[in-house]
Each structure stands twice: as C-alpha cells, then as structure tokens.
C-alpha cells in the first residue's frame, strides 16, 4: 500500500537495531551466543540434577532436610488463633507503608527525609549509595525491611509454642526472608544493573558460567566458591612457622615448633585445635600467627594436627580421640622434653575434648598430667549453645546419619561448611551469590576464607556421639558421661582454667561459655574478647584491634560478671601470656625439635593438613612443599614483653568512658547475629 505521494509505508518503519553501532551489534551478538551456550550447558546440567533428585541420589540433601513443615504448621496455626497479634502486626505494617509512601513523595519534591525503617547496624547488603540516595531503590529497601519485620514479628511474638520449635521456625523464616532480599535479584540490585549496562550483559553471561562451574564441581550440588582456592598453598603461603612433626599415629601428627628464644619455659604448651577445621587458623600468616607469637614469648609449643579421616576411620570415637589424640600427645611430649605435665589449650570442640580429658584424668588419679587448661571459644555446657542447637533434633540427626552412610561412614566437609555458612547467610552465602553469579566476578584470594573452605571430614561414630551426647542431651554438664566406665565430673576438676569467650560469637555464645566456666571445681579466670568466633581468638597484639573484658571474680550469672568487668583495649593474648607464665616453671635452654627421644619425622606443617576433603578417601590432594623447619637464630631469653598501647576499634561496643567498662548486655536477636 502506498500513500498519496506514492511512497511505501514500510520504508518509514525503522529496524529496532538500526541505531546501534557496529561495536554494539558485535557485543550484542557475542552476549547472545555466550548466553545460548551457557543456557544449553546449564540445561543439561540441571537435567542431571533433577534426575539425581528423582532417583533419590543418597548423597544429595533432601528437599526439606530440617523436616520443618510440622513446626511451621504449628507456629502459624497458633498465629492464626491470636487475632491481637495479627492485628497489631498488620497495623504496624500499614502504618509503615503509609509513612514510606508519604516520605518517598516528600523526598521527590522536598529533599531528604527520615526513613520509615532502617537496616540493622552492620548489615552490609545496603552498602551501595543507591540504596540510600536513589528514592526508588531506597523505597524498595524499606519495603523489603518492613515485610521482613512483619514476618519475623509474628513468629517472635506468637505464644503457646515451645521455645525450641519457635526458635527453629524463627531461624528458617529469617533464612527465607534473607533469600528474598532485593539485593539478591538482578532487576532490583542497582550494582548489578549498573554492571549489566557497563558490560552489555557480559556479567550475566560470566555469572551463569560461574554457576555452571560450581554445579559441576559439586556434582549437581551447588559448591559456592567464597575464595580463589588456588590462591594459597598450605606450607608455602600459610602455616609457615618452622617446626617438625615428631610423633604420629592414625589420628594425629604432633608438631613441635622451633624455638626463637635462647631460653624457654620449662613446662611445654600443647594446643588441641578443633578437628572440624584445620589447625592453621592459628598459623595463618606471619603477621597474625598465634603459634609464631607464642614461640617468641618463650614457650615450647606443641600442636596436634588431626587426621582428615577417610572411610577406614569411620568407627573412631570421641574416646579414641582422647586416648590417641590428647593423651598420646602428652605422653609423646614427655618423651620429647622429659616434662611430665603440660599446659593444655583446647579450641572449640578441641576444648570440649580437653574438658572431658581433665575429668577423666581426675577420676583416674592422674590430674597432674595437665597443669593448666585454656579454652578458646569452647563449650562444656550446651544448654545455651545458640543456633547450632537447631541442627541437633532427632530428625536432623537422622538426616546427618543418612548422608554419612551414603558417603561411606564420614560426613563430608562441605556439609559442615554449609551448616556454618547458614548461621551468617547474608555474609557467607548471598554476598557471594551476588558477586559470583549476578556481577559475574571471580572470588578473590582471601586467606581466612581459604581456610574456611578447607574443611575436614568427620567419622560417623564420633560425630553422631558428639551431637547426641553434647549438643542434644548435654550430658557432660549434667555429669552423665562416662568413658571406659569412668564417670566424668567437671566439678571434681581442680586444674586452673583460663576460659576465653567472644562477645559476638554465634557458635559458642559467651553466656554458654560462662555456664561452662561455672562447672569446674578449681580456680577459673573467665575473659571475654571483642568480635566473634575467629577474630575474637586470633587478635595479634600488633594489630591494635578490639578489646577484652576481665573480672577477678566469677559470680553466679554472666550478667553480674558483666556488671563488674573491666575493659582493656587491644589483644587479650598478653593477659593470657602472663597467666601462663605463672604456671610454666623456670627458664631452661631452648629445645630443638628432634633433640629428645622423639626424632624428626617430617617438616611442619606435616601431611594431615594437606589432605583436602574433596580428594578421594583421604588422598593428599595438595603437593605444596612445606616450608623447611630451619632453626631460627635464638634472639633473647624468654621474658614478658611490654604491653603495646592499643586502642579499641571504633566499632567496639560499649564505647570507652572509664576504667571499668561493661559490654552491652545481650539482647533478643533474630538468628542473624554477627560473628
């Protein structure tokens, strides 16, 4: 059809791509091709995942591993029968939306106004300026926060539900609302939209490829990368303090570290780290290594490096870890040094083992084998053990047992990592989903996250026993445990104890650690550090970070302890060192590893720590040459160093005002507590 001038109407209709430049067309073509290839690849991979799920692949987690449907049903039935609770929550939500609409309108025309709701302090999801300065994204943020507050308020406010059920539903509701955050979706995340425009969508292509790679790495189960796993080598970049393996059995390697002083304290120091992780969190880098620092303070340091167990060790028990681990190490140290007692340290579950061993030694008439005991973030009373209690009901333990049976009698390290990551899902899950899959970036090399990803396996017999007897039934605190027919009673233990807790610890909450401190029958020094489960422990004095609180008494409640506590800026290591000096004997000539009855087997960090959990049945998957354990030139005699001046972190709470500071008392929180 033509118009009056005889021209064709179609000639006036421009092609939708007509205004694009050749470079833009080329970029669009490239992105389209990449998306097509990635989509085809992911389609095939997702088909395999679905097939495994339909076939009931044993190693795959169940759709509802928490078996939470009955709890959700119970909680929401109670909410439905409490109209006052529902009406109050709905009224607050309606008022919040009215305020949001009014404020947004005023902001568009009049400028900045007070927000209707603000994120919790420390919530890193909203760091982009657009979430505050752009009215649209600010409204999206506030709308999400109000909806989350509405949901959490209903669950937290419901009555007539037992506390454990309520906490479980509260935790899982928080997980679901965190997953639905606008930061986790490309169309509602300003950083992702900006990156998509800048790269012409290449970030989404790369992100999909990253997702496919992670699904392939997990054999259909998402193996979310938090760091560049090729960025470090254990024994070369990490765990480099000079030392020698001087003893080994099927469960441990015992490392003796080289002295750095001309003299050392007579009594050796033995460290039992958790077997859930690898020991080199204590020897991450030279600048923050606790091991290296302890040698410079004049201690002969021994450390247990636990085996990363394969199927052959599936029947090893908690008692085996005591006899072949802690007690075997003490005997070996006597052979190496001639000393009949040690100062022992237990970190996390290593501390639970240490407490059990103290009670066993007391009951068997050998308490002198451990002259003092130090506990890092360790629990002996699990009544207030925090959010991990949500993972120890009977149905969850059955699920863990099913997974271990499918994996040949061990629990793979990824399952443990996923569990701990859930406790801080915004920081340890969703931030990496955004970075890796929406922004299309590769995770950076970060030593702490490299260690966090280097998980270990757990023997079935040991792990199930630990979950049932410690977390679920709290038998150690109740005095209901016995080893080899020997009753364990912490109240009978008279060994001096130094008990470290961390203010923001989400794994071993300080009120729980305090309850454990009250169980011992001898002198206990309870100390609370700033920060969380890792940073609260690993705080080198040279970093001048955080603070710690002490109280020379041990009153009945942790609240009373806080009221009388004194704050000191900086690292608590100096306070602990001075406590150890009083229990370490006189100075003796420095001890060279291998100079005693025990000969050198290999250089530190040994072989156990090199076994990756993604290797087959305990095969060493890392072949980095360990740093040679050349003896450092002795420098000085062991003596207390002057305490460096330190200032508390600007973010520390409470703020310093006088010489007797008390940390903020614990308040009711949702399960998103920081670490």
């Amino acid at each position: 059809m033509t118009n009056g001038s005889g021209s064709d109407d179609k000639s006036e209709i421009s092609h939708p791509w007509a205004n694009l430049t050749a470079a833009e067309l080329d970029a669009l073509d490239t992105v389209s091709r990449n998306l097509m290839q990635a989509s085809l690849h992911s389609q095939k991979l997702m088909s395999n995942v679905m097939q495994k799920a339909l076939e009931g692949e044993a190693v795959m987690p169940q759709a509802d591993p928490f078996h939470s449907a009955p709890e959700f049903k119970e909680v929401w039935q109670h909410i439905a029968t409490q109209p006052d609770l529902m009406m109050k929550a709905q009224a607050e939500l309606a008022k919040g939306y009215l305020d949001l609409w009014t404020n947004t309108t005023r902001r568009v025309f009049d400028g900045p106004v007070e927000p209707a709701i603000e994120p919790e302090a420390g919530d890193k999801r909203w760091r982009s300026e657009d979430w505050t300065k752009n009215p649209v994204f600010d409204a999206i943020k506030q709308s999400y926060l109000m909806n989350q507050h509405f949901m959490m308020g209903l669950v937290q406010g419901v009555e007539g539900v037992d506390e454990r059920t309520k906490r479980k539903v509260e935790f899982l509701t928080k997980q679901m609302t965190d997953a639905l955050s606008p930061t986790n979706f490309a169309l509602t995340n300003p950083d992702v939209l900006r990156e998509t425009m800048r790269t012409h969508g290449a970030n989404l292509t790369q992100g999909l490829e990253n997702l496919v790679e992670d699904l392939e790495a997990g054999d259909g189960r998402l193996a979310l990368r938090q760091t560049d796993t090729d960025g470090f080598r254990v024994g070369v970049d990490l765990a480099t303090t000079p030392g020698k393996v001087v003893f080994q059995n099927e469960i441990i390697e015992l490392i003796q570290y080289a002295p750095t002083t001309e003299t050392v304290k007579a009594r050796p120091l033995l460290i039992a780290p958790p077997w859930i992780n690898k020991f080199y969190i204590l020897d991450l880098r030279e600048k923050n290594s606790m091991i290296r620092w302890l040698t410079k303070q004049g201690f002969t340091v021994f450390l247990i490096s636990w085996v990363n167990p394969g199927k052959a060790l599936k029947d090893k028990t908690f008692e085996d870890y005591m006899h072949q681990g802690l007690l075997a190490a003490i005997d070996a140290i006597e052979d190496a040094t001639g000393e009949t007692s040690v100062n022992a340290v237990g970190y996390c579950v290593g501390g639970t083992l240490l407490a059990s061993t103290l009670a066993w030694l007391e009951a068997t008439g050998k308490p002198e084998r451990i002259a003092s005991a130090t506990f890092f973030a360790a629990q002996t009373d699990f009544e207030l053990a925090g959010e991990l209690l949500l993972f120890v009901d009977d149905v969850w333990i059955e699920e863990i047992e099913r997974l271990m049976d499918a994996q040949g009698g061990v629990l793979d390290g990824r399952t443990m990592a996923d569990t701990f990551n859930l406790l801080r899902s915004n920081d340890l899950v969703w931030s990496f989903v955004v970075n890796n899959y929406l922004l299309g970036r590769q995770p950076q090399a970060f030593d702490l996250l490299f260690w966090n990803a280097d998980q270990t396996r757990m023997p079935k017999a040991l792990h199930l026993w630990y979950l049932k007897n410690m977390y679920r039934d709290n038998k150690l605190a109740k005095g209901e445990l016995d080893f080899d027919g020997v009753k364990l009673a912490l109240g009978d233990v008279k060994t001096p104890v130094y008990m470290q807790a961390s203010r923001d610890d989400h794994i071993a909450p300080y009120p729980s650690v305090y309850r454990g401190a009250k169980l011992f029958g001898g002198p206990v020094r309870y100390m609370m550090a700033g920060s969380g489960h890792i940073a609260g422990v690993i705080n080198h004095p040279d970093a001048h970070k955080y603070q710690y609180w002490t109280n020379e008494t041990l009153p009945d409640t942790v609240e009373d302890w806080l009221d009388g506590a004194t704050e000191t800026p900086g690292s608590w290591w100096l306070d602990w060192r001075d406590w150890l000096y009083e229990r370490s004997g006189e100075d003796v000539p420095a001890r060279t590893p291998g100079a005693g009855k025990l000969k050198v087997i290999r250089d530190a960090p040994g072989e156990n720590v090199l076994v990756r959990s993604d290797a087959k049945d305990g095969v060493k998957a890392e072949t980095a040459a360990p740093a040679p354990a050349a003896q450092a030139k002795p420098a000085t005699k062991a003596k207390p160093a002057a305490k460096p001046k330190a200032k508390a972190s600007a973010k520390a709470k409470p703020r310093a005002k006088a010489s007797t500071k008390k940390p903020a008392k614990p308040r009711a929180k949702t399960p998103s507590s920081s670490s």
Side-chain angles (χ1 to χ4, degrees):
M1 179 179 179
T2 60
N3 58 21
S5 62
S7 62
D8 194 335
D9 286 342
K10 293 182 179 179
S11 65
E12 297 180 0
I13 301 175
S14 62
H15 194 278
W17 314 119
N19 294 326
L20 295 180
T21 65
E24 290 172 334
L25 286 170
D26 185 62
L28 182 62
D29 180 67
T30 302
V31 170
S32 299
R33 291 178 183 274
N34 289 338
L35 280 172
M36 178 64 72
Q37 293 175 2
S39 297
L40 291 173
H41 194 179
S42 61
Q43 183 179 12
K44 179 180 178 182
L45 188 60
M46 291 305 296
S47 297
N48 292 338
V49 173
M50 293 301 297
Q51 183 177 354
K52 285 187 176 183
L54 292 172
E55 292 174 353
E57 184 76 16
V59 296
M60 298 292 288
Q62 294 183 354
D64 181 16
F66 294 98
H67 298 276
S68 57
E71 286 91 345
F72 269 99
K73 180 180 179 181
E74 179 183 354
V75 167
W76 282 98
Q77 282 180 339
H78 278 77
I79 291 174
T81 60
Q82 297 175 27
D84 291 345
L85 173 65
M86 182 68 76
M87 290 177 62
K88 180 180 178 182
Q90 289 176 335
E92 290 180 355
L93 182 63
K95 180 181 182 301
Y97 268 105
L98 180 61
D99 291 343
L100 175 59
W101 176 256
T102 303
N103 291 348
T104 301
T105 304
R106 287 175 54 197
R107 179 174 180 177
V108 171
F109 293 102
D110 301 330
V113 295
E114 288 294 320
I117 188 171
E118 291 185 316
E120 291 184 2
D123 192 341
K124 300 176 183 177
R125 292 176 294 176
W126 319 103
R127 286 178 297 183
S128 174
E129 290 185 350
D130 289 304
W131 290 115
T132 302
K133 294 185 176 180
N134 186 302
V136 174
F137 288 112
D138 188 27
I140 292 173
K141 175 190 71 178
Q142 292 188 56
S143 176
Y144 162 76
L145 291 174
M146 284 191 293
N147 286 324
Q148 183 184 48
H149 181 75
F150 171 75
M151 293 292 293
M152 297 302 300
L154 287 174
V155 176
Q156 293 168 349
V158 68
E159 298 178 352
V161 180
D162 72 88
E163 189 62 27
R164 178 161 290 193
T165 297
K166 185 176 179 179
R167 288 179 59 196
K168 182 176 180 179
V169 173
E170 184 179 333
F171 174 80
L172 294 175
T173 301
K174 183 66 165 58
Q175 295 297 316
M176 289 188 290
T177 57
D178 284 346
L180 294 172
S181 170
T183 55
N184 300 333
F185 298 90
L187 294 179
T188 52
N189 186 319
D191 292 334
V192 176
L193 289 173
R194 186 180 297 108
E195 187 71 4
T196 302
M197 294 176 66
R198 187 186 70 82
T199 65
H200 302 288
N203 60 304
L204 300 178
T205 303
Q206 183 59 54
L208 187 53
E209 291 180 359
N210 292 344
L211 175 60
V212 169
E213 290 176 6
D214 289 351
L215 286 170
E216 286 179 333
D219 193 24
R221 177 180 171 190
L222 184 63
L224 179 65
R225 285 173 292 167
Q226 298 173 327
T227 186
D228 179 5
T229 55
D230 296 322
F232 300 97
R233 290 179 296 169
V234 178
V236 176
D237 307 300
L238 311 173
T240 60
T241 298
K244 303 286 186 181
V245 176
V246 295
F247 173 81
Q248 68 178 2
N249 58 31
E250 61 181 343
I251 286 182
I252 70 168
E253 287 177 313
L254 182 65
I255 301 173
Q256 180 181 355
Y257 287 95
T260 58
T261 55
E262 292 180 355
T263 63
V264 294
K265 293 299 179 182
R267 181 167 290 127
L269 184 68
L270 171 62
I271 301 176
W275 52 81
I276 292 175
N277 306 99
K278 293 184 178 177
F279 77 81
Y280 62 89
I281 187 61
L282 300 167
D283 189 25
L284 207 56
R285 299 289 194 104
E286 183 174 351
K287 65 181 181 180
N288 62 4
S289 169
M290 175 182 281
I291 303 299
R292 193 179 295 265
W293 183 83
L294 285 167
T295 64
K296 291 181 178 180
Q297 309 310 305
F299 294 106
T300 301
V301 180
F302 290 84
L303 179 138
I304 292 173
S305 176
W306 300 101
V307 68
N308 192 351
K311 299 175 183 177
L313 299 178
K314 64 182 178 66
D315 295 322
K316 288 297 178 181
T317 66
F318 198 85
E319 291 181 52
D320 291 330
Y321 271 54
M322 180 182 76
H323 288 291
Q324 295 182 257
L326 207 50
L327 294 176
I330 294 172
D331 291 340
I333 291 172
E334 182 177 358
D335 290 338
T337 66
E339 293 292 326
T340 59
S341 65
V342 301
N343 291 319
V345 179
Y347 191 171
C348 192
V349 66
T352 308
L353 177 67
L354 174 58
S356 304
T357 304
L358 289 172
W360 188 86
L361 288 172
E362 188 71 42
T364 55
K366 296 176 284 188
E368 71 283 352
R369 297 293 278 166
I370 297 178
S372 76
T374 298
F375 297 88
F376 297 164
Q379 298 178 98
T380 53
D381 186 320
F382 292 82
E383 183 69 27
L384 303 177
E387 291 154 8
L388 283 177
L389 286 174
L390 302 173
F391 298 88
V392 292
D393 58 18
D394 290 339
V395 291
W396 177 250
I397 290 175
E398 289 175 5
E399 170 68 4
I400 290 293
E401 185 171 9
R402 183 189 70 82
L403 288 173
M404 286 191 286
D405 287 338
Q407 295 163 7
V410 294
L411 184 67
D412 68 304
R414 188 147 42 97
T415 299
M416 288 301 302
D418 290 346
T419 300
F420 285 113
N421 289 342
L422 278 178
L423 300 182
R424 294 178 55 208
S425 59
N426 283 328
D427 292 333
L428 297 178
V429 177
W430 296 114
S431 66
F432 293 102
V433 168
V434 173
N435 181 80
N436 300 1
Y437 307 147
L438 299 184
L439 294 173
R441 297 169 183 168
Q442 297 296 324
Q444 299 298 307
F446 183 31
D447 52 9
L448 181 60
L449 289 176
F450 179 91
W451 167 83
N452 188 59
D454 191 10
Q455 295 284 338
T456 58
R457 293 179 285 263
M458 244 72 62
K460 175 183 176 180
L462 165 66
H463 195 57
L464 287 180
W465 184 94
Y466 177 67
L467 291 178
K468 293 176 181 178
N469 289 278
M470 297 297 183
Y471 267 97
R472 188 188 66 184
D473 299 334
N474 201 20
K475 287 186 176 181
L476 180 60
K478 296 176 180 177
E480 297 174 356
L481 276 186
D482 67 87
F483 288 170
D484 303 328
V486 176
K487 201 77 169 178
L488 305 186
L490 293 179
D492 295 338
V493 174
K494 303 301 188 293
T495 305
V497 166
Y498 190 102
M499 186 75 74
Q500 181 272 342
S502 295
R503 180 188 59 189
D504 303 320
D505 195 333
H506 59 292
I507 294 174
Y510 72 83
S512 177
V513 176
Y514 191 83
R515 284 175 63 98
K518 295 291 294 180
L519 296 176
F520 292 96
V524 176
R525 180 172 180 80
Y526 178 85
M527 183 280 304
M528 186 172 69
S531 198
H533 193 70
I534 302 299
V537 175
I538 309 303
N539 182 23
H540 197 289
D542 291 347
H544 306 295
K545 292 174 66 177
Y546 310 128
Q547 69 281 93
Y548 64 96
W549 290 268
T550 54
N551 187 335
E552 300 305 318
T553 64
L554 198 70
D556 290 340
T557 68
V558 71
E559 290 78 15
D560 290 339
W561 186 92
L562 291 170
D563 286 338
T566 300
E567 178 185 347
T568 303
S571 174
W572 59 271
W573 290 8
L574 302 170
D575 180 79
W576 175 49
R577 176 204 61 190
D578 294 343
W579 185 88
L580 280 176
Y581 276 156
E582 296 175 2
R583 293 157 180 83
S584 297
E586 301 298 324
D587 289 353
V588 299
R591 304 176 176 110
T592 302
K597 293 181 180 179
L598 297 182
K599 302 307 176 184
V600 171
I601 299 174
R602 62 184 64 91
D603 287 345
E607 292 185 345
N608 285 349
V609 74
L610 301 182
V611 177
R612 301 275 306 190
S613 290
D614 49 15
K616 298 296 183 182
D617 199 25
V619 176
K620 183 168 67 175
E622 186 171 344
T623 57
Q631 301 303 315
K633 183 178 180 180
T636 57
K637 293 185 177 182
K639 60 181 179 180
K643 294 187 178 182
K645 294 181 180 180
K647 58 182 180 180
S649 166
K651 295 182 179 180
K653 295 180 181 180
R655 296 175 182 173
K657 292 189 291 185
S659 60
T660 56
K661 313 296 186 301
K662 293 175 278 295
K665 292 184 179 180
R667 60 184 177 85
K669 292 183 179 180
T670 60
S672 59
S673 57
S674 61
S675 71

